[in-house]
Amino acid sequence: AEMARVLADSNHVPLHRLSLLVHSVSIMHKSLDSMPEDENWKALTRNSANLRVYIMAFDVKSDDMLRILKPSIPLERIHFDSYVTCVSGAVVDLISRQYDKFLTHFILMNDVIDMSGFPDLSDNRNEDPLVLLAWRCTRLSLLAVHGYTVWAHNLIAIARLRGSDLKVLEVTEESIDFDQGELADQ
């Protein structure tokens, strides 16, 4: 928060890019209480109207991400990488709602070794958070998913929603799953 206040001062050169690294180890040793609040982000973007933020999150719990992601962050790129924890569908949904104007890159990687299969972000809901991300985030040009279940019909929906604007759609083959009815048709 203090860094955001200093950078928001009008006597500083406006920022264009801010890269933030959030790691579970740093969260364990420091409180999230010093993270910038929404007012801090608003003040920073008033002085830096073209600011775009890139967040890399390593093994950050979904609850912690929900505390970090403030509505006024001009989030352009986000990269989740997990070895212990998994990102929740609620976090993906929040990102698609709050950052629909700026988000261009969304990378979701899970290296958790779980014999029961990859986590499914849709949590058996009708709406898949990744499909909603592709629908809401009209600037999305890169979507990479590794180690999470992506249903084949949702993968097709994502590709159709973004069309040629989606320059990179990268999904690990093992992540793609089919409904039993689809398998019979294939």
Side-chain angles (χ1 to χ4, degrees), residues 9-136:
D9 193 333
S10 61
N11 64 359
H12 284 89
V13 174
L15 289 176
H16 289 281
R17 177 158 319 273
L18 180 61
S19 297
L20 302 173
L21 172 64
V22 184
H23 198 289
S24 61
V25 174
S26 60
I27 292 174
M28 285 180 356
H29 298 292
K30 286 189 172 187
S31 168
L32 287 176
D33 295 338
S34 63
M35 290 297 296
E37 293 298 326
D38 203 45
E39 311 81 61
N40 302 119
W41 285 108
K42 286 177 182 175
L44 184 56
T45 55
R46 271 194 298 275
N47 186 45
S48 301
N50 294 323
L51 175 65
R52 297 298 176 263
V53 175
Y54 175 23
I55 295 178
M56 292 187 70
F58 291 99
D59 271 326
V60 179
K61 295 178 190 170
S62 292
D63 291 347
D64 291 334
M65 282 309 300
L66 292 172
R67 290 183 59 199
I68 292 167
L69 296 171
K70 304 298 180 195
S72 297
I73 298 175
L75 186 66
E76 182 179 59
R77 299 172 183 222
I78 191 155
H79 179 149
F80 290 105
D81 205 330
S82 302
Y83 293 93
V84 178
T85 64
C86 295
V87 172
S88 70
V91 169
V92 177
D93 189 55
L94 178 75
I95 289 168
S96 72
R97 289 175 193 273
Q98 288 187 170
Y99 309 115
D100 58 326
K101 291 177 181 60
F102 299 115
L103 193 70
T104 62
H105 290 65
F106 187 86
I107 300 169
L108 190 58
M109 300 180 75
N110 176 20
D111 296 324
V112 177
I113 298 172
D114 185 356
M115 297 306 166
S116 64
F118 293 138
D120 185 355
L121 293 171
S122 62
D123 296 326
N124 298 319
R125 296 181 303 181
N126 289 336
E127 299 97 13
D128 184 286
L130 292 173
V131 173
L132 291 173
L133 181 92
W135 176 57
R136 292 177 180 140

Side-chain angles (χ1 to χ4, degrees), residues 127-141 143 153-167 169:
E127 299 97 13
D128 184 286
L130 292 173
V131 173
L132 291 173
L133 181 92
W135 176 57
R136 292 177 180 140
C137 299
T138 58
R139 294 180 166 211
L140 191 68
S141 63
L143 176 62
H153 61 274
N154 288 335
L155 194 57
I156 292 167
I158 291 166
R160 286 183 176 161
L161 281 166
R162 292 284 39 94
S164 62
D165 292 336
L166 188 62
K167 305 297 182 207
L169 177 57

